[in-house]
Amino acid sequence: DAGVTQSPTHLIKTRGQQVTLRCSPKSGHDTVSWYQQALGQGPQFIFQYYEEEERQRGNFPDRFSGHQFPNYSSELNVNALLLGDSALYLCASSLTNSGNTIYFGEGSWLTVV
Amino acid sequence: QQQVKQSPQSLIVQKGGISIINCAYENTAFDYFPWYQQFPGKGPALLIAIRPDVSEKKEGRFTISFNKSAKQFSLHIMDSQPGDSATYFCAASGNQAGTALIFGKGTTLSVSS
């Protein structure tokens, strides 16, 4: 049973560029959430997707956008990258109506230079 | 206020000792309180979770104690082992489907042998 998988694991981008991160949820899960974890901090909620719609959004600017596909996989897009966007981006999956338990992937390390 | 305050920031415990990490929350609508363990370079892994209808939950060497009136909860790691050395995050969320997890800032635990 595959867990939450994310790609790429590491990437380096230049300020002003755009980046796309990808996530496949745990088998059987229909909900995908994205979190940003800065170095030495706890994860911060970006947004959540369910039934291909953004269901909830945290306090992040519109430069952060996402998408969920019919197979429940998801993408996180960040436009006009800033140095402060450097962080570990975590994807988490869960099954709606089964409680609040969420499972995280290993994350994608983004460095903006 | 959607905040979870975690202490201490770091903790050093002798092998075989008890590690105690504390968290406090403000939002009385929170009703799910998980703890996550994160090793360097890895995503957070769910360790144990509790809901406010019980005051304590134990799984192996890990115990959550919950004080609803004080809006506090804590993680106790009994017989701490060097392999427990990691960063621990408490979190909280509401009971609606899709409610985001609000994380504490984390506690770095070092268990010395």
Side-chain angles (χ1 to χ4, degrees), chain B residues 55-92:
Chain B
S55 59
E56 186 175 280
K57 182 175 181 180
K58 184 176 181 180
E59 289 184 1
R61 297 184 295 109
F62 301 92
T63 299
I64 299 180
S65 296
F66 186 83
N67 186 329
K68 188 174 181 178
S69 61
K71 292 188 285 186
Q72 295 176 346
F73 58 110
S74 60
L75 176 69
H76 296 233
I77 305 174
M78 311 301 287
D79 187 27
S80 298
Q81 299 296 312
D84 296 330
S85 297
T87 300
Y88 293 81
F89 293 96
C90 63

PDB file of all heavy atoms in Angstrom, chain B residues 55-92:
ATOM      1  N   SER B  55      -9.460  11.837  28.710  1.00  0.00           N
ATOM      2  CA  SER B  55      -8.407  12.648  29.316  1.00  0.00           C
ATOM      3  C   SER B  55      -7.011  12.072  29.076  1.00  0.00           C
ATOM      4  O   SER B  55      -6.014  12.746  29.307  1.00  0.00           O
ATOM      5  CB  SER B  55      -8.638  12.788  30.824  1.00  0.00           C
ATOM      6  OG  SER B  55      -8.653  11.503  31.420  1.00  0.00           O
ATOM      7  N   GLU B  56      -6.974  10.824  28.622  1.00  0.00           N
ATOM      8  CA  GLU B  56      -5.667  10.214  28.404  1.00  0.00           C
ATOM      9  C   GLU B  56      -5.782   9.124  27.347  1.00  0.00           C
ATOM     10  O   GLU B  56      -6.783   8.413  27.271  1.00  0.00           O
ATOM     11  CB  GLU B  56      -5.144   9.613  29.709  1.00  0.00           C
ATOM     12  CG  GLU B  56      -3.725   9.074  29.629  1.00  0.00           C
ATOM     13  CD  GLU B  56      -3.213   8.612  30.988  1.00  0.00           C
ATOM     14  OE1 GLU B  56      -2.799   9.471  31.796  1.00  0.00           O
ATOM     15  OE2 GLU B  56      -3.227   7.395  31.233  1.00  0.00           O
ATOM     16  N   LYS B  57      -4.730   8.997  26.548  1.00  0.00           N
ATOM     17  CA  LYS B  57      -4.675   7.912  25.563  1.00  0.00           C
ATOM     18  C   LYS B  57      -3.243   7.409  25.516  1.00  0.00           C
ATOM     19  O   LYS B  57      -2.303   8.199  25.455  1.00  0.00           O
ATOM     20  CB  LYS B  57      -5.104   8.400  24.180  1.00  0.00           C
ATOM     21  CG  LYS B  57      -5.112   7.290  23.126  1.00  0.00           C
ATOM     22  CD  LYS B  57      -5.671   7.803  21.816  1.00  0.00           C
ATOM     23  CE  LYS B  57      -5.706   6.701  20.774  1.00  0.00           C
ATOM     24  NZ  LYS B  57      -6.258   7.208  19.487  1.00  0.00           N
ATOM     25  N   LYS B  58      -3.106   6.088  25.562  1.00  0.00           N
ATOM     26  CA  LYS B  58      -1.781   5.484  25.604  1.00  0.00           C
ATOM     27  C   LYS B  58      -1.604   4.526  24.443  1.00  0.00           C
ATOM     28  O   LYS B  58      -2.479   3.716  24.155  1.00  0.00           O
ATOM     29  CB  LYS B  58      -1.596   4.753  26.938  1.00  0.00           C
ATOM     30  CG  LYS B  58      -0.225   4.159  27.137  1.00  0.00           C
ATOM     31  CD  LYS B  58      -0.108   3.540  28.522  1.00  0.00           C
ATOM     32  CE  LYS B  58       1.277   2.948  28.748  1.00  0.00           C
ATOM     33  NZ  LYS B  58       1.409   2.342  30.093  1.00  0.00           N
ATOM     34  N   GLU B  59      -0.458   4.627  23.785  1.00  0.00           N
ATOM     35  CA  GLU B  59      -0.108   3.677  22.727  1.00  0.00           C
ATOM     36  C   GLU B  59       1.370   3.329  22.900  1.00  0.00           C
ATOM     37  O   GLU B  59       2.252   4.129  22.587  1.00  0.00           O
ATOM     38  CB  GLU B  59      -0.366   4.260  21.336  1.00  0.00           C
ATOM     39  CG  GLU B  59      -1.826   4.406  20.996  1.00  0.00           C
ATOM     40  CD  GLU B  59      -2.082   4.885  19.577  1.00  0.00           C
ATOM     41  OE1 GLU B  59      -1.100   5.093  18.832  1.00  0.00           O
ATOM     42  OE2 GLU B  59      -3.260   5.072  19.220  1.00  0.00           O
ATOM     43  N   GLY B  60       1.613   2.159  23.453  1.00  0.00           N
ATOM     44  CA  GLY B  60       2.991   1.748  23.708  1.00  0.00           C
ATOM     45  C   GLY B  60       3.655   2.674  24.714  1.00  0.00           C
ATOM     46  O   GLY B  60       3.119   2.902  25.803  1.00  0.00           O
ATOM     47  N   ARG B  61       4.794   3.243  24.353  1.00  0.00           N
ATOM     48  CA  ARG B  61       5.510   4.143  25.265  1.00  0.00           C
ATOM     49  C   ARG B  61       5.018   5.592  25.186  1.00  0.00           C
ATOM     50  O   ARG B  61       5.505   6.448  25.916  1.00  0.00           O
ATOM     51  CB  ARG B  61       7.012   4.104  24.939  1.00  0.00           C
ATOM     52  CG  ARG B  61       7.671   2.746  25.149  1.00  0.00           C
ATOM     53  CD  ARG B  61       9.172   2.777  24.910  1.00  0.00           C
ATOM     54  NE  ARG B  61       9.508   3.068  23.519  1.00  0.00           N
ATOM     55  CZ  ARG B  61      10.040   4.212  23.101  1.00  0.00           C
ATOM     56  NH1 ARG B  61      10.296   5.196  23.953  1.00  0.00           N
ATOM     57  NH2 ARG B  61      10.326   4.382  21.812  1.00  0.00           N
ATOM     58  N   PHE B  62       4.057   5.855  24.305  1.00  0.00           N
ATOM     59  CA  PHE B  62       3.577   7.217  24.078  1.00  0.00           C
ATOM     60  C   PHE B  62       2.198   7.413  24.712  1.00  0.00           C
ATOM     61  O   PHE B  62       1.302   6.606  24.506  1.00  0.00           O
ATOM     62  CB  PHE B  62       3.502   7.518  22.579  1.00  0.00           C
ATOM     63  CG  PHE B  62       4.843   7.384  21.878  1.00  0.00           C
ATOM     64  CD1 PHE B  62       5.208   6.179  21.300  1.00  0.00           C
ATOM     65  CD2 PHE B  62       5.711   8.449  21.836  1.00  0.00           C
ATOM     66  CE1 PHE B  62       6.448   6.051  20.671  1.00  0.00           C
ATOM     67  CE2 PHE B  62       6.952   8.328  21.197  1.00  0.00           C
ATOM     68  CZ  PHE B  62       7.318   7.123  20.619  1.00  0.00           C
ATOM     69  N   THR B  63       2.055   8.504  25.473  1.00  0.00           N
ATOM     70  CA  THR B  63       0.788   8.826  26.146  1.00  0.00           C
ATOM     71  C   THR B  63       0.460  10.285  25.911  1.00  0.00           C
ATOM     72  O   THR B  63       1.338  11.151  26.015  1.00  0.00           O
ATOM     73  CB  THR B  63       0.887   8.567  27.653  1.00  0.00           C
ATOM     74  OG1 THR B  63       1.175   7.175  27.878  1.00  0.00           O
ATOM     75  CG2 THR B  63      -0.422   8.932  28.355  1.00  0.00           C
ATOM     76  N   ILE B  64      -0.794  10.545  25.550  1.00  0.00           N
ATOM     77  CA  ILE B  64      -1.293  11.923  25.510  1.00  0.00           C
ATOM     78  C   ILE B  64      -2.152  12.126  26.747  1.00  0.00           C
ATOM     79  O   ILE B  64      -3.057  11.341  27.029  1.00  0.00           O
ATOM     80  CB  ILE B  64      -2.159  12.200  24.277  1.00  0.00           C
ATOM     81  CG1 ILE B  64      -1.377  12.014  22.976  1.00  0.00           C
ATOM     82  CG2 ILE B  64      -2.697  13.632  24.329  1.00  0.00           C
ATOM     83  CD1 ILE B  64      -2.223  12.277  21.740  1.00  0.00           C
ATOM     84  N   SER B  65      -1.879  13.240  27.448  1.00  0.00           N
ATOM     85  CA  SER B  65      -2.745  13.674  28.533  1.00  0.00           C
ATOM     86  C   SER B  65      -3.463  14.930  28.091  1.00  0.00           C
ATOM     87  O   SER B  65      -2.843  15.830  27.518  1.00  0.00           O
ATOM     88  CB  SER B  65      -1.913  13.969  29.793  1.00  0.00           C
ATOM     89  OG  SER B  65      -1.289  12.794  30.247  1.00  0.00           O
ATOM     90  N   PHE B  66      -4.760  14.987  28.333  1.00  0.00           N
ATOM     91  CA  PHE B  66      -5.573  16.094  27.826  1.00  0.00           C
ATOM     92  C   PHE B  66      -6.345  16.742  28.964  1.00  0.00           C
ATOM     93  O   PHE B  66      -7.020  16.058  29.739  1.00  0.00           O
ATOM     94  CB  PHE B  66      -6.535  15.570  26.750  1.00  0.00           C
ATOM     95  CG  PHE B  66      -7.304  16.660  26.064  1.00  0.00           C
ATOM     96  CD1 PHE B  66      -6.743  17.361  25.016  1.00  0.00           C
ATOM     97  CD2 PHE B  66      -8.593  16.973  26.468  1.00  0.00           C
ATOM     98  CE1 PHE B  66      -7.442  18.371  24.377  1.00  0.00           C
ATOM     99  CE2 PHE B  66      -9.302  17.973  25.834  1.00  0.00           C
ATOM    100  CZ  PHE B  66      -8.723  18.680  24.791  1.00  0.00           C
ATOM    101  N   ASN B  67      -6.255  18.057  29.084  1.00  0.00           N
ATOM    102  CA  ASN B  67      -6.972  18.820  30.108  1.00  0.00           C
ATOM    103  C   ASN B  67      -7.848  19.844  29.400  1.00  0.00           C
ATOM    104  O   ASN B  67      -7.385  20.913  29.000  1.00  0.00           O
ATOM    105  CB  ASN B  67      -5.978  19.510  31.048  1.00  0.00           C
ATOM    106  CG  ASN B  67      -6.671  20.199  32.214  1.00  0.00           C
ATOM    107  OD1 ASN B  67      -7.808  20.682  32.093  1.00  0.00           O
ATOM    108  ND2 ASN B  67      -6.000  20.261  33.351  1.00  0.00           N
ATOM    109  N   LYS B  68      -9.122  19.494  29.229  1.00  0.00           N
ATOM    110  CA  LYS B  68     -10.031  20.330  28.450  1.00  0.00           C
ATOM    111  C   LYS B  68     -10.247  21.694  29.110  1.00  0.00           C
ATOM    112  O   LYS B  68     -10.265  22.726  28.439  1.00  0.00           O
ATOM    113  CB  LYS B  68     -11.369  19.617  28.260  1.00  0.00           C
ATOM    114  CG  LYS B  68     -12.314  20.311  27.315  1.00  0.00           C
ATOM    115  CD  LYS B  68     -13.553  19.470  27.080  1.00  0.00           C
ATOM    116  CE  LYS B  68     -14.498  20.143  26.107  1.00  0.00           C
ATOM    117  NZ  LYS B  68     -15.692  19.314  25.827  1.00  0.00           N
ATOM    118  N   SER B  69     -10.399  21.719  30.428  1.00  0.00           N
ATOM    119  CA  SER B  69     -10.686  22.985  31.106  1.00  0.00           C
ATOM    120  C   SER B  69      -9.505  23.959  31.013  1.00  0.00           C
ATOM    121  O   SER B  69      -9.692  25.172  30.899  1.00  0.00           O
ATOM    122  CB  SER B  69     -11.054  22.737  32.565  1.00  0.00           C
ATOM    123  OG  SER B  69      -9.977  22.115  33.240  1.00  0.00           O
ATOM    124  N   ALA B  70      -8.309  23.418  31.037  1.00  0.00           N
ATOM    125  CA  ALA B  70      -7.114  24.255  30.931  1.00  0.00           C
ATOM    126  C   ALA B  70      -6.701  24.498  29.483  1.00  0.00           C
ATOM    127  O   ALA B  70      -5.794  25.295  29.218  1.00  0.00           O
ATOM    128  CB  ALA B  70      -5.957  23.619  31.690  1.00  0.00           C
ATOM    129  N   LYS B  71      -7.354  23.807  28.555  1.00  0.00           N
ATOM    130  CA  LYS B  71      -7.023  23.880  27.121  1.00  0.00           C
ATOM    131  C   LYS B  71      -5.553  23.565  26.898  1.00  0.00           C
ATOM    132  O   LYS B  71      -4.810  24.308  26.229  1.00  0.00           O
ATOM    133  CB  LYS B  71      -7.416  25.245  26.547  1.00  0.00           C
ATOM    134  CG  LYS B  71      -8.922  25.458  26.497  1.00  0.00           C
ATOM    135  CD  LYS B  71      -9.315  26.724  25.764  1.00  0.00           C
ATOM    136  CE  LYS B  71      -9.051  27.937  26.617  1.00  0.00           C
ATOM    137  NZ  LYS B  71      -9.551  29.191  26.014  1.00  0.00           N
ATOM    138  N   GLN B  72      -5.136  22.454  27.497  1.00  0.00           N
ATOM    139  CA  GLN B  72      -3.747  22.006  27.383  1.00  0.00           C
ATOM    140  C   GLN B  72      -3.718  20.509  27.119  1.00  0.00           C
ATOM    141  O   GLN B  72      -4.604  19.763  27.546  1.00  0.00           O
ATOM    142  CB  GLN B  72      -2.980  22.320  28.671  1.00  0.00           C
ATOM    143  CG  GLN B  72      -2.838  23.804  28.961  1.00  0.00           C
ATOM    144  CD  GLN B  72      -2.164  24.059  30.300  1.00  0.00           C
ATOM    145  OE1 GLN B  72      -2.032  23.168  31.126  1.00  0.00           O
ATOM    146  NE2 GLN B  72      -1.726  25.292  30.501  1.00  0.00           N
ATOM    147  N   PHE B  73      -2.684  20.081  26.407  1.00  0.00           N
ATOM    148  CA  PHE B  73      -2.451  18.659  26.225  1.00  0.00           C
ATOM    149  C   PHE B  73      -0.958  18.423  26.131  1.00  0.00           C
ATOM    150  O   PHE B  73      -0.189  19.342  25.777  1.00  0.00           O
ATOM    151  CB  PHE B  73      -3.206  18.096  25.020  1.00  0.00           C
ATOM    152  CG  PHE B  73      -2.882  18.746  23.696  1.00  0.00           C
ATOM    153  CD1 PHE B  73      -2.174  18.040  22.732  1.00  0.00           C
ATOM    154  CD2 PHE B  73      -3.319  20.023  23.377  1.00  0.00           C
ATOM    155  CE1 PHE B  73      -1.895  18.603  21.498  1.00  0.00           C
ATOM    156  CE2 PHE B  73      -3.048  20.598  22.152  1.00  0.00           C
ATOM    157  CZ  PHE B  73      -2.332  19.890  21.211  1.00  0.00           C
ATOM    158  N   SER B  74      -0.551  17.226  26.487  1.00  0.00           N
ATOM    159  CA  SER B  74       0.870  16.950  26.536  1.00  0.00           C
ATOM    160  C   SER B  74       1.172  15.543  26.022  1.00  0.00           C
ATOM    161  O   SER B  74       0.315  14.659  26.044  1.00  0.00           O
ATOM    162  CB  SER B  74       1.410  17.117  27.958  1.00  0.00           C
ATOM    163  OG  SER B  74       0.750  16.239  28.831  1.00  0.00           O
ATOM    164  N   LEU B  75       2.396  15.378  25.574  1.00  0.00           N
ATOM    165  CA  LEU B  75       2.896  14.082  25.114  1.00  0.00           C
ATOM    166  C   LEU B  75       3.953  13.612  26.098  1.00  0.00           C
ATOM    167  O   LEU B  75       4.873  14.360  26.444  1.00  0.00           O
ATOM    168  CB  LEU B  75       3.521  14.216  23.719  1.00  0.00           C
ATOM    169  CG  LEU B  75       4.176  12.954  23.156  1.00  0.00           C
ATOM    170  CD1 LEU B  75       3.128  11.889  22.836  1.00  0.00           C
ATOM    171  CD2 LEU B  75       5.010  13.283  21.917  1.00  0.00           C
ATOM    172  N   HIS B  76       3.780  12.382  26.563  1.00  0.00           N
ATOM    173  CA  HIS B  76       4.761  11.761  27.446  1.00  0.00           C
ATOM    174  C   HIS B  76       5.371  10.579  26.708  1.00  0.00           C
ATOM    175  O   HIS B  76       4.626   9.726  26.194  1.00  0.00           O
ATOM    176  CB  HIS B  76       4.100  11.260  28.737  1.00  0.00           C
ATOM    177  CG  HIS B  76       3.531  12.355  29.576  1.00  0.00           C
ATOM    178  ND1 HIS B  76       3.844  12.521  30.894  1.00  0.00           N
ATOM    179  CD2 HIS B  76       2.662  13.349  29.281  1.00  0.00           C
ATOM    180  CE1 HIS B  76       3.198  13.567  31.387  1.00  0.00           C
ATOM    181  NE2 HIS B  76       2.469  14.087  30.418  1.00  0.00           N
ATOM    182  N   ILE B  77       6.692  10.547  26.661  1.00  0.00           N
ATOM    183  CA  ILE B  77       7.389   9.408  26.068  1.00  0.00           C
ATOM    184  C   ILE B  77       8.122   8.693  27.208  1.00  0.00           C
ATOM    185  O   ILE B  77       9.055   9.237  27.793  1.00  0.00           O
ATOM    186  CB  ILE B  77       8.400   9.851  24.991  1.00  0.00           C
ATOM    187  CG1 ILE B  77       7.711  10.715  23.925  1.00  0.00           C
ATOM    188  CG2 ILE B  77       9.047   8.621  24.337  1.00  0.00           C
ATOM    189  CD1 ILE B  77       8.669  11.303  22.897  1.00  0.00           C
ATOM    190  N   MET B  78       7.646   7.509  27.519  1.00  0.00           N
ATOM    191  CA  MET B  78       8.238   6.727  28.603  1.00  0.00           C
ATOM    192  C   MET B  78       9.449   5.959  28.075  1.00  0.00           C
ATOM    193  O   MET B  78       9.501   5.609  26.894  1.00  0.00           O
ATOM    194  CB  MET B  78       7.208   5.741  29.161  1.00  0.00           C
ATOM    195  CG  MET B  78       5.850   6.350  29.476  1.00  0.00           C
ATOM    196  SD  MET B  78       5.938   7.680  30.679  1.00  0.00           S
ATOM    197  CE  MET B  78       6.255   6.693  32.149  1.00  0.00           C
ATOM    198  N   ASP B  79      10.406   5.683  28.985  1.00  0.00           N
ATOM    199  CA  ASP B  79      11.585   4.889  28.606  1.00  0.00           C
ATOM    200  C   ASP B  79      12.170   5.420  27.292  1.00  0.00           C
ATOM    201  O   ASP B  79      12.340   4.679  26.316  1.00  0.00           O
ATOM    202  CB  ASP B  79      11.199   3.413  28.483  1.00  0.00           C
ATOM    203  CG  ASP B  79      12.383   2.507  28.249  1.00  0.00           C
ATOM    204  OD1 ASP B  79      13.504   2.861  28.659  1.00  0.00           O
ATOM    205  OD2 ASP B  79      12.184   1.427  27.627  1.00  0.00           O
ATOM    206  N   SER B  80      12.466   6.695  27.245  1.00  0.00           N
ATOM    207  CA  SER B  80      12.951   7.339  26.014  1.00  0.00           C
ATOM    208  C   SER B  80      14.217   6.648  25.502  1.00  0.00           C
ATOM    209  O   SER B  80      15.099   6.270  26.283  1.00  0.00           O
ATOM    210  CB  SER B  80      13.235   8.825  26.275  1.00  0.00           C
ATOM    211  OG  SER B  80      12.056   9.497  26.661  1.00  0.00           O
ATOM    212  N   GLN B  81      14.273   6.488  24.184  1.00  0.00           N
ATOM    213  CA  GLN B  81      15.383   5.805  23.525  1.00  0.00           C
ATOM    214  C   GLN B  81      16.072   6.743  22.521  1.00  0.00           C
ATOM    215  O   GLN B  81      15.434   7.661  21.999  1.00  0.00           O
ATOM    216  CB  GLN B  81      14.871   4.574  22.794  1.00  0.00           C
ATOM    217  CG  GLN B  81      14.215   3.543  23.698  1.00  0.00           C
ATOM    218  CD  GLN B  81      15.203   2.959  24.691  1.00  0.00           C
ATOM    219  OE1 GLN B  81      16.312   2.559  24.327  1.00  0.00           O
ATOM    220  NE2 GLN B  81      14.818   2.913  25.960  1.00  0.00           N
ATOM    221  N   PRO B  82      17.342   6.507  22.221  1.00  0.00           N
ATOM    222  CA  PRO B  82      18.034   7.358  21.235  1.00  0.00           C
ATOM    223  C   PRO B  82      17.286   7.444  19.902  1.00  0.00           C
ATOM    224  O   PRO B  82      17.297   8.476  19.244  1.00  0.00           O
ATOM    225  CB  PRO B  82      19.398   6.681  21.085  1.00  0.00           C
ATOM    226  CG  PRO B  82      19.628   6.042  22.415  1.00  0.00           C
ATOM    227  CD  PRO B  82      18.269   5.563  22.866  1.00  0.00           C
ATOM    228  N   GLY B  83      16.596   6.383  19.526  1.00  0.00           N
ATOM    229  CA  GLY B  83      15.818   6.383  18.289  1.00  0.00           C
ATOM    230  C   GLY B  83      14.611   7.304  18.322  1.00  0.00           C
ATOM    231  O   GLY B  83      14.005   7.572  17.290  1.00  0.00           O
ATOM    232  N   ASP B  84      14.265   7.794  19.519  1.00  0.00           N
ATOM    233  CA  ASP B  84      13.158   8.756  19.645  1.00  0.00           C
ATOM    234  C   ASP B  84      13.622  10.174  19.341  1.00  0.00           C
ATOM    235  O   ASP B  84      12.800  11.092  19.263  1.00  0.00           O
ATOM    236  CB  ASP B  84      12.594   8.729  21.072  1.00  0.00           C
ATOM    237  CG  ASP B  84      11.968   7.399  21.441  1.00  0.00           C
ATOM    238  OD1 ASP B  84      11.443   6.710  20.546  1.00  0.00           O
ATOM    239  OD2 ASP B  84      12.009   7.040  22.645  1.00  0.00           O
ATOM    240  N   SER B  85      14.930  10.371  19.189  1.00  0.00           N
ATOM    241  CA  SER B  85      15.469  11.705  18.902  1.00  0.00           C
ATOM    242  C   SER B  85      14.904  12.196  17.568  1.00  0.00           C
ATOM    243  O   SER B  85      15.146  11.596  16.515  1.00  0.00           O
ATOM    244  CB  SER B  85      16.994  11.666  18.855  1.00  0.00           C
ATOM    245  OG  SER B  85      17.516  11.287  20.108  1.00  0.00           O
ATOM    246  N   ALA B  86      14.132  13.258  17.624  1.00  0.00           N
ATOM    247  CA  ALA B  86      13.406  13.772  16.468  1.00  0.00           C
ATOM    248  C   ALA B  86      12.754  15.091  16.879  1.00  0.00           C
ATOM    249  O   ALA B  86      12.891  15.534  18.017  1.00  0.00           O
ATOM    250  CB  ALA B  86      12.330  12.775  16.026  1.00  0.00           C
ATOM    251  N   THR B  87      12.045  15.699  15.947  1.00  0.00           N
ATOM    252  CA  THR B  87      11.241  16.876  16.271  1.00  0.00           C
ATOM    253  C   THR B  87       9.792  16.451  16.386  1.00  0.00           C
ATOM    254  O   THR B  87       9.282  15.715  15.532  1.00  0.00           O
ATOM    255  CB  THR B  87      11.397  17.965  15.198  1.00  0.00           C
ATOM    256  OG1 THR B  87      12.773  18.350  15.131  1.00  0.00           O
ATOM    257  CG2 THR B  87      10.568  19.193  15.555  1.00  0.00           C
ATOM    258  N   TYR B  88       9.143  16.901  17.427  1.00  0.00           N
ATOM    259  CA  TYR B  88       7.757  16.538  17.702  1.00  0.00           C
ATOM    260  C   TYR B  88       6.869  17.773  17.571  1.00  0.00           C
ATOM    261  O   TYR B  88       7.197  18.845  18.076  1.00  0.00           O
ATOM    262  CB  TYR B  88       7.625  15.937  19.104  1.00  0.00           C
ATOM    263  CG  TYR B  88       8.327  14.599  19.203  1.00  0.00           C
ATOM    264  CD1 TYR B  88       9.694  14.519  19.401  1.00  0.00           C
ATOM    265  CD2 TYR B  88       7.614  13.404  19.059  1.00  0.00           C
ATOM    266  CE1 TYR B  88      10.351  13.299  19.444  1.00  0.00           C
ATOM    267  CE2 TYR B  88       8.256  12.178  19.117  1.00  0.00           C
ATOM    268  CZ  TYR B  88       9.626  12.140  19.306  1.00  0.00           C
ATOM    269  OH  TYR B  88      10.273  10.923  19.351  1.00  0.00           O
ATOM    270  N   PHE B  89       5.772  17.604  16.876  1.00  0.00           N
ATOM    271  CA  PHE B  89       4.815  18.683  16.675  1.00  0.00           C
ATOM    272  C   PHE B  89       3.464  18.283  17.253  1.00  0.00           C
ATOM    273  O   PHE B  89       2.953  17.202  16.954  1.00  0.00           O
ATOM    274  CB  PHE B  89       4.620  18.984  15.186  1.00  0.00           C
ATOM    275  CG  PHE B  89       5.838  19.565  14.516  1.00  0.00           C
ATOM    276  CD1 PHE B  89       6.709  18.739  13.835  1.00  0.00           C
ATOM    277  CD2 PHE B  89       6.086  20.924  14.558  1.00  0.00           C
ATOM    278  CE1 PHE B  89       7.832  19.255  13.206  1.00  0.00           C
ATOM    279  CE2 PHE B  89       7.198  21.459  13.928  1.00  0.00           C
ATOM    280  CZ  PHE B  89       8.068  20.622  13.249  1.00  0.00           C
ATOM    281  N   CYS B  90       2.875  19.178  18.042  1.00  0.00           N
ATOM    282  CA  CYS B  90       1.481  19.004  18.389  1.00  0.00           C
ATOM    283  C   CYS B  90       0.659  19.785  17.363  1.00  0.00           C
ATOM    284  O   CYS B  90       1.167  20.670  16.676  1.00  0.00           O
ATOM    285  CB  CYS B  90       1.194  19.516  19.801  1.00  0.00           C
ATOM    286  SG  CYS B  90       1.479  21.279  20.039  1.00  0.00           S
ATOM    287  N   ALA B  91      -0.590  19.420  17.249  1.00  0.00           N
ATOM    288  CA  ALA B  91      -1.475  20.082  16.298  1.00  0.00           C
ATOM    289  C   ALA B  91      -2.900  20.010  16.825  1.00  0.00           C
ATOM    290  O   ALA B  91      -3.203  19.250  17.751  1.00  0.00           O
ATOM    291  CB  ALA B  91      -1.363  19.445  14.917  1.00  0.00           C
ATOM    292  N   ALA B  92      -3.769  20.799  16.193  1.00  0.00           N
ATOM    293  CA  ALA B  92      -5.174  20.800  16.585  1.00  0.00           C
ATOM    294  C   ALA B  92      -6.013  21.163  15.373  1.00  0.00           C
ATOM    295  O   ALA B  92      -5.560  21.874  14.476  1.00  0.00           O
ATOM    296  CB  ALA B  92      -5.411  21.790  17.715  1.00  0.00           C
TER     297      ALA B  92
END
